[in-house]
Amino acid sequence: MSIAENIRVIRSRIDEAALAAGRRPEEITLVAATKVQTSETIRQAIAAGITVCGENRVQEFNAHWADGAYEGAKVHFIGHLQKNKVKYLVGRVALIESVDSRELLQAISQRAEKLGLVQDVLIEVNIGAELSKSGVRPEEARQLIQLAAELPGVAPRGLMAIPPAAGISGGNSRYFAEMNQLFVDIKAKTYDNRVSIDCLSMGMSGDFADAIAHGATQVRIGTALFGARPPMRANG
Ligand SMILES: *Cc1c(COP(=O)(O)O)cnc(C)c1O
């Protein structure tokens, strides 16, 4: 199937999952996870209706950015981010989804202040408490949202999670439910009226319908749009 056809199929499955959960399809953003894809493929996806690309690696982002590949779409950064690479992203990406430390949050805020803008961010939660994954504990997420609300250069918009790879359908329901609870809780407790906590980013090719049933407002999908990727290498 072509990318355009895949996008159509996935978008309709997203819409069905939303309706099944009593939600409006427009509440859910499809983020195309474009790691390892070429600028040409990214252009094709945008031409076929993708409005947000999710990038994992700063190096790939820089190359596609230089190519003008993202024209017509926004970019979210969804990979592990080092402080020294913040300068490449702030002001260029609409959302940094993977903030996982105080220091990173401060570095993003400082860079944004220097550029005279406010960078939207999500806090990444390691909901499965996996050693191999980035992200903070749920309790720390509350503190980082609070800190982000106080820092001048960042605006906290919500939470992101990558639960353990589920072996069976519905295998991550418990993690998605925990994330939703945390999200609702944080939303209720963040009173600052300059802050709007409205993004819950979770769900990938294998489990997005389940994530939507549990409140996801953004799903990040790669394989189901672009096909299987070659084995992962380390972050770059
Ligand atoms: C690759 C990736 C995805 C998409 O995963 P698929 O299973 O290919 O849909 C989503 N989120 C993040 C953070 C990723 O790195």
Side-chain angles (χ1 to χ4, degrees):
M1 276 204 292
S2 69
I3 291 171
E5 182 64 9
N6 290 343
I7 292 171
R8 205 185 56 73
V9 168
I10 293 302
R11 186 65 238 186
S12 70
R13 285 176 57 198
I14 289 170
D15 295 354
E16 275 168 34
L19 293 171
R23 305 177 58 198
R24 288 181 301 118
E26 316 83 78
E27 283 173 36
I28 312 214
T29 303
L30 166 57
V31 177
T34 45
K35 60 176 172 268
V36 316
Q37 305 304 330
T38 62
S39 290
E40 186 45 38
T41 301
I42 291 171
R43 284 197 191 91
Q44 276 176 34
I46 294 168
I50 287 297
T51 58
V52 186
C53 296
E55 283 294 353
N56 278 75
R57 298 181 182 114
V58 173
Q59 216 178 340
E60 288 182 38
F61 167 76
N62 284 343
H64 297 317
W65 179 266
D67 278 350
Y70 302 118
E71 203 178 319
K74 294 189 231 176
V75 181
H76 290 185
F77 192 77
I78 62 176
H80 183 66
L81 180 57
Q82 287 160 347
K83 271 187 302 180
N84 62 348
K85 294 188 175 163
V86 157
K87 60 178 178 282
Y88 299 111
L89 301 181
V90 173
R92 292 184 175 176
V93 302
L95 185 64
I96 299 176
E97 297 200 11
S98 39
V99 175
D100 60 359
S101 74
R102 225 162 232 283
E103 293 71 27
L104 181 58
L105 200 50
Q106 277 155 346
I108 294 169
S109 181
Q110 273 166 20
R111 176 69 184 170
E113 265 197 287
K114 206 165 171 181
L115 298 177
L117 50 88
V118 175
Q119 176 69 57
D120 281 347
V121 299
L122 303 184
I123 304 302
E124 180 175 351
V125 180
N126 186 355
I127 195 65
E130 295 171 281
L131 290 174
S132 62
K133 284 196 183 139
S134 323
V136 300
R137 286 180 289 111
E139 212 32 59
E140 289 172 275
R142 293 173 212 276
Q143 294 161 9
L144 286 183
I145 291 275
Q146 188 55 43
L147 176 63
E150 289 161 13
L151 289 172
V154 287
R157 298 297 299 272
L159 305 174
M160 184 268 239
I162 313 171
I168 51 159
S169 166
N172 277 333
S173 293
R174 172 187 140 213
Y175 296 117
F176 291 144
E178 283 176 29
M179 282 301 302
N180 193 33
Q181 191 54 55
L182 183 65
F183 177 67
V184 168
D185 208 47
I186 284 177
K187 206 154 62 162
K189 286 180 186 150
T190 309
Y191 294 117
D192 191 327
N193 61 10
R194 293 163 305 173
V195 172
S196 122
I197 305 287
D198 55 3
C199 299
L200 180 55
S201 175
M202 59 186 191
M204 317 206 298
S205 292
D207 55 16
F208 65 87
D210 196 18
I212 291 167
H214 289 93
T217 66
Q218 291 185 29
V219 293
R220 309 174 310 264
I221 299 185
T223 310
L225 298 180
F226 302 113
R229 291 178 296 272
M232 286 277 271
R233 57 179 170 76
N235 268 313

